[in-house]
Amino acid sequence: MEVVFIGSGSVATHLALALKEKGVTISQVYSRTKSNAAALADKLGTSYTTDLSEIYDKADIYFYALKDGSFRNTLKSFDLPDAIHVHTSGSISMSEFDGIATKYGVFYPLQTFSKEKEVDFSKIPICIEAINADTQQKLLDLANLLNSKTYLISSEQRKKLHLAAVFACNFSNYMYDVSSQILEEIGVGFDILHPLIMETALKVQSVTPYKAQTGPAVRFDDKIITKHINMLKNRRDLKKIYKLLSKDIHKRHKKI
Amino acid sequence: MEVVFIGSGSVATHLALALKEKGVTISQVYSRTKSNAAALADKLGTSYTTDLSEIYDKADIYFYALKDGSFRNTLKSFDLPDAIHVHTSGSISMSEFDGIATKYGVFYPLQTFSKEKEVDFSKIPICIEAINADTQQKLLDLANLLNSKTYLISSEQRKKLHLAAVFACNFSNYMYDVSSQILEEIGVGFDILHPLIMETALKVQSVTPYKAQTGPAVRFDDKIITKHINMLKNRRDLKKIYKLLSKDIHKRHKKI
């Protein structure tokens, strides 16, 4: 099987390397930025282009791993070869391919990627959507080749899944960031919180977050909540967040 | 060394079991509630009491692992033996022992405990504070016996550390809970987010949360932010949280 990657960011890099390792031929890499295209092509031992009119047209699957903003423009800028076209985005509808391609779908790895950090695709859920059963099976085959867990997720579901991921990943990370800011004030290194953060994430692998909820808000401990809010007097933004989240947790766990 | 536990909740249970395993004698367990006292005493193969006037008075260290609300009342209700007295709370000042005991301190394991789940004390930071050098060394010895990482943390620091822990643990767990509520709406099981949650927690073990921050808010992706807020139209509380956190992340990462 031959694959072309349109895009050279974190998702493209990790996915292309993982597919190559499983014997898939990566025929070409495209990126608007020459240094990025060259860097990924070099890692993959393949060729690259920065010109959409030079896209290799004999591949079986074209992966679009682009920023959401440049996806639509890229699609408009060249004639898509007769092959399977898939994007890897959590927030773009599959219907963006309507009228442009005939075989298309979505191959969305639900994980947070950094270029430097290695990833193990066998632990990554792949959300698949396809325009027809044949394309769907080809995408499932590809995900199975990576030993990934596969989920059939519609565009409508994927939008909300992406929203859920913002809470589970981006916003929980911001909670860590706030805690690191508080520790800075008292001159204590962030490593003191490492085990607590790991255990909190580990817990919800086996019980629901609802059941795992602890802390002053769920115990309705007004005294501690008031003390904490007072400690945040110089950080109006954090005070607001503390109050809002505590109120919400309280409401959710209140026995009627 | 002989130790008495005042309290029989999660912290008392795990700490007492860990100390016993390292050869420390747990001489007695006290709890106001007979069934709890009996259950823990049974696990430890020791005796229990529900009457503070019957507290064994020959131990070397007394651990107070109580709810913050009952700590002060318990201290007032009996004559403290001449020994070391320590509480295990993140939010109570050491000075609560002033005038009641002469040798005292704090032994605060910074972790989230559930009664059912086993814990490995070698991975738990212990925050220690003591009224004098001799008591401090005894508490360090005890933490070292458990192979825990030890931190000398003052009452003033500990208050803020506890506040930081609320963000890092309780509030990040609530972000998981929100994501599980969103998944429920679309009929997708929460397990699809397990790997993302683990990776998010793992990342900040090696880079700062500031550096690890990803998502639409840090990229200033107004289009996606607006879409997400619209998806939350039936959940006014979550909409508020989404807006507030995104604004804050944006502000923190804005290049001036």
Side-chain angles (χ1 to χ4, degrees):
Chain A
M1 189 187 306
E2 284 192 89
V3 165
V4 165
F5 268 87
I6 320 278
S8 59
S10 301
V11 175
T13 301
H14 288 297
L15 185 54
L17 285 169
L19 288 171
K20 181 185 151 81
E21 196 169 301
K22 296 293 181 182
V24 175
T25 305
I26 315 297
S27 308
Q28 193 187 38
V29 169
Y30 161 85
S31 169
R32 219 168 39 171
T33 316
K34 190 174 170 176
S35 57
N36 294 348
L40 179 52
D42 187 50
K43 278 184 197 165
L44 295 164
T46 189
S47 64
Y48 69 88
T49 179
T50 57
D51 183 350
L52 284 170
S53 72
E54 288 177 359
I55 291 274
Y56 174 73
D57 63 357
K58 301 279 182 292
D60 304 288
I61 305 190
Y62 292 77
F63 274 98
Y64 299 79
L66 295 160
K67 278 185 191 140
D68 291 0
S70 37
F71 176 71
R72 213 178 282 191
N73 277 337
T74 305
L75 277 197
K76 279 192 295 197
S77 307
F78 76 118
D79 287 326
L80 275 57
D82 179 26
I84 293 176
H85 297 267
V86 290
H87 73 66
T88 59
S89 162
S91 47
I92 297 175
S93 169
M94 180 174 74
S95 65
E96 294 283 338
F97 286 111
D98 283 0
I100 301 177
T102 51
K103 292 174 285 182
Y104 51 89
V106 179
F107 194 94
Y108 168 48
L110 182 52
Q111 187 52 286
T112 170
F113 295 96
S114 339
K115 266 198 181 167
E116 328 70 69
K117 206 166 172 269
E118 265 192 58
V119 291
D120 176 0
F121 268 86
S122 73
K123 284 179 188 141
I124 297 181
I126 306 273
C127 304
I128 286 171
E129 185 181 10
I131 190 65
N132 59 41
D134 186 48
T135 305
Q136 180 175 292
Q137 191 53 53
K138 290 222 167 83
L139 297 181
L140 283 171
D141 291 346
L142 214 56
N144 290 333
L145 192 67
L146 298 171
N147 295 314
S148 299
K149 246 182 136 172
T150 49
Y151 293 82
L152 295 175
I153 301 283
S154 72
S155 285
E156 211 44 52
Q157 287 176 310
R158 191 157 28 81
K159 268 193 233 169
K160 290 229 167 173
L161 179 56
H162 185 241
L163 172 62
V166 167
F167 279 92
C169 169
N170 308 149
F171 288 169
S172 68
N173 183 79
Y174 187 60
M175 297 298 105
Y176 307 156
D177 188 22
V178 168
S179 69
S180 82
Q181 294 175 52
I182 296 170
L183 289 190
E184 242 173 62
E185 276 179 44
I186 54 168
V188 174
F190 184 62
D191 60 309
I192 201 170
L193 287 176
H194 285 172
L196 180 65
I197 286 170
M198 281 312 292
E199 180 69 15
T200 305
L202 258 172
K203 240 183 212 179
V204 297
Q205 311 289 309
S206 54
V207 304
T208 64
Y210 179 83
K211 267 200 171 177
Q213 190 68 56
T214 54
V218 73
R219 292 196 309 267
F220 320 131
D221 193 332
D222 284 352
K223 265 193 193 165
I224 292 197
I225 292 174
T226 308
K227 273 189 202 170
H228 282 171
I229 290 170
N230 287 336
M231 277 188 250
L232 292 168
K233 59 182 180 296
N234 300 323
R235 289 295 305 268
R236 212 154 52 108
D237 55 337
L238 301 187
K239 205 163 126 177
K240 253 187 171 170
I241 293 172
Y242 189 100
K243 276 187 187 174
L244 186 57
L245 295 181
S246 292
K247 208 179 82 181
D248 234 47
I249 293 172
H250 185 123
K251 218 170 61 192
R252 179 144 163 84
H253 288 267
K254 208 165 168 173
K255 312 242 172 355
I256 307 155
Chain B
M1 191 187 304
E2 284 192 88
V3 165
V4 165
F5 269 87
I6 320 278
S8 59
S10 301
V11 176
T13 301
H14 288 298
L15 185 54
L17 284 168
L19 287 172
K20 181 186 151 80
E21 196 170 298
K22 295 293 180 182
V24 174
T25 305
I26 315 295
S27 308
Q28 192 186 37
V29 169
Y30 162 85
S31 169
R32 220 169 35 171
T33 316
K34 190 174 170 176
S35 58
N36 295 347
L40 180 53
D42 187 48
K43 278 185 197 163
L44 294 164
T46 189
S47 64
Y48 69 88
T49 179
T50 58
D51 183 350
L52 284 170
S53 72
E54 286 178 359
I55 292 275
Y56 174 73
D57 63 357
K58 300 279 182 293
D60 302 289
I61 306 190
Y62 293 77
F63 274 98
Y64 299 78
L66 296 161
K67 279 184 191 140
D68 291 1
S70 37
F71 176 71
R72 214 179 280 191
N73 278 337
T74 305
L75 278 197
K76 277 193 294 194
S77 307
F78 76 117
D79 287 326
L80 275 57
D82 179 26
I84 293 176
H85 297 268
V86 291
H87 73 66
T88 60
S89 161
S91 47
I92 296 176
S93 170
M94 181 175 73
S95 65
E96 294 282 337
F97 286 112
D98 284 357
I100 300 177
T102 51
K103 292 174 285 182
Y104 52 89
V106 179
F107 193 94
Y108 168 47
L110 183 51
Q111 188 51 285
T112 169
F113 296 95
S114 339
K115 265 197 181 169
E116 330 69 71
K117 206 165 172 267
E118 264 192 60
V119 291
D120 176 359
F121 269 87
S122 74
K123 283 178 189 142
I124 297 180
I126 307 273
C127 305
I128 286 171
E129 185 180 10
I131 190 65
N132 60 42
D134 185 51
T135 304
Q136 179 175 293
Q137 191 53 53
K138 291 222 167 82
L139 297 181
L140 283 170
D141 291 347
L142 214 57
N144 291 333
L145 192 67
L146 297 170
N147 294 316
S148 300
K149 246 183 135 174
T150 50
Y151 294 81
L152 295 175
I153 300 283
S154 71
S155 286
E156 212 42 53
Q157 287 175 311
R158 190 157 29 79
K159 268 193 234 170
K160 290 228 167 175
L161 178 57
H162 185 241
L163 172 62
V166 167
F167 279 92
C169 168
N170 308 149
F171 289 168
S172 67
N173 183 77
Y174 187 61
M175 298 299 103
Y176 307 155
D177 188 22
V178 168
S179 68
S180 81
Q181 294 174 51
I182 296 170
L183 290 189
E184 242 173 64
E185 276 179 45
I186 55 169
V188 175
F190 184 62
D191 60 310
I192 200 170
L193 287 176
H194 284 173
L196 180 64
I197 285 170
M198 280 313 292
E199 181 67 14
T200 305
L202 258 173
K203 241 184 211 178
V204 297
Q205 311 288 310
S206 54
V207 304
T208 64
Y210 179 83
K211 268 199 168 177
Q213 189 68 56
T214 55
V218 73
R219 293 195 312 266
F220 320 130
D221 193 331
D222 283 352
K223 264 193 193 164
I224 293 197
I225 292 173
T226 308
K227 272 190 202 168
H228 282 171
I229 289 171
N230 286 337
M231 278 188 247
L232 291 169
K233 59 182 180 300
N234 299 324
R235 290 294 306 265
R236 211 155 52 108
D237 54 336
L238 301 187
K239 206 163 128 176
K240 253 188 172 172
I241 293 173
Y242 189 101
K243 277 187 186 173
L244 186 56
L245 295 182
S246 292
K247 209 179 81 182
D248 233 49
I249 293 172
H250 186 123
K251 219 171 60 190
R252 178 144 164 85
H253 288 267
K254 206 165 168 174
K255 310 239 171 2
I256 307 155

